[in-house]
Amino acid sequence: QVQLVESGGGSVQSGGSLRLSCAASGYRYSNHWKGWFRQAPGKEREGVAAIHNAGNTTYGDSVKGRFTISQDNAKNTLYLQMNNLIPEDTAMYYCAVQTMSTSPTLQALSELRYNYWGQGTQVTVSS
């Protein structure tokens, strides 16, 4: 059974940085995507960043230039480096992995692409 455990969330002031980690177990790396999503209270979940096993990356418009997604396949760990945080980044952050093939037309940041999700880690940014 695939398990994803996020860590690294916390409270920071505007302009600060955090690094989120997502440790995966029971997961055999496949030629698919892994991603970070977030959901703020009262808002829909949105895609933040995604990385393909081959290394291609994509980012949501609101985090481009501030967030960096990376992976360590040897450690089965996904990371999200978040710099220059702003209050609007406050949300629960989730990692997700795709282990099954989906339509090739599905965007990398579409929730529909992912079939395993972590429990989330809270990020709070104060002004």
Side-chain angles (χ1 to χ4, degrees):
Q1 182 71 17
V2 175
Q3 287 191 324
L4 304 174
V5 179
E6 301 97 334
S7 62
S11 297
V12 296
Q13 290 191 329
S14 185
S17 297
L18 284 172
R19 188 194 195 203
L20 304 184
S21 299
C22 173
S25 60
Y27 173 55
R28 177 174 295 177
Y29 263 71
S30 58
N31 194 29
H32 294 312
W33 290 85
K34 298 174 282 295
W36 287 98
F37 292 76
R38 67 186 182 187
Q39 187 167 22
K43 294 187 177 181
E44 292 186 356
R45 190 157 54 186
E46 66 167 330
V48 174
I51 186 167
H52 192 270
N53 202 45
N56 314 54
T57 58
T58 188
Y59 295 90
D61 288 341
S62 62
V63 306
K64 282 180 182 176
R66 300 189 297 122
F67 290 12
T68 303
I69 189 171
S70 62
Q71 59 188 351
D72 185 333
N73 290 345
K75 295 182 178 179
N76 263 12
T77 303
L78 182 68
Y79 302 100
L80 184 68
Q81 178 66 44
M82 305 186 295
N83 297 328
N84 196 19
L85 284 160
I86 58 178
E88 290 75 15
D89 294 320
T90 295
M92 185 71 78
Y93 283 71
Y94 301 90
C95 67
V97 298
Q98 173 194 5
T99 64
M100 300 172 62
S101 295
T102 60
S103 168
T105 63
L106 210 54
Q107 301 261 345
L109 289 178
S110 169
E111 293 183 45
L112 299 177
R113 178 174 285 277
Y114 299 90
N115 53 320
Y116 286 102
W117 295 80
Q119 293 300 307
T121 185
Q122 177 68 37
V123 171
T124 303
V125 185
S126 58
S127 57

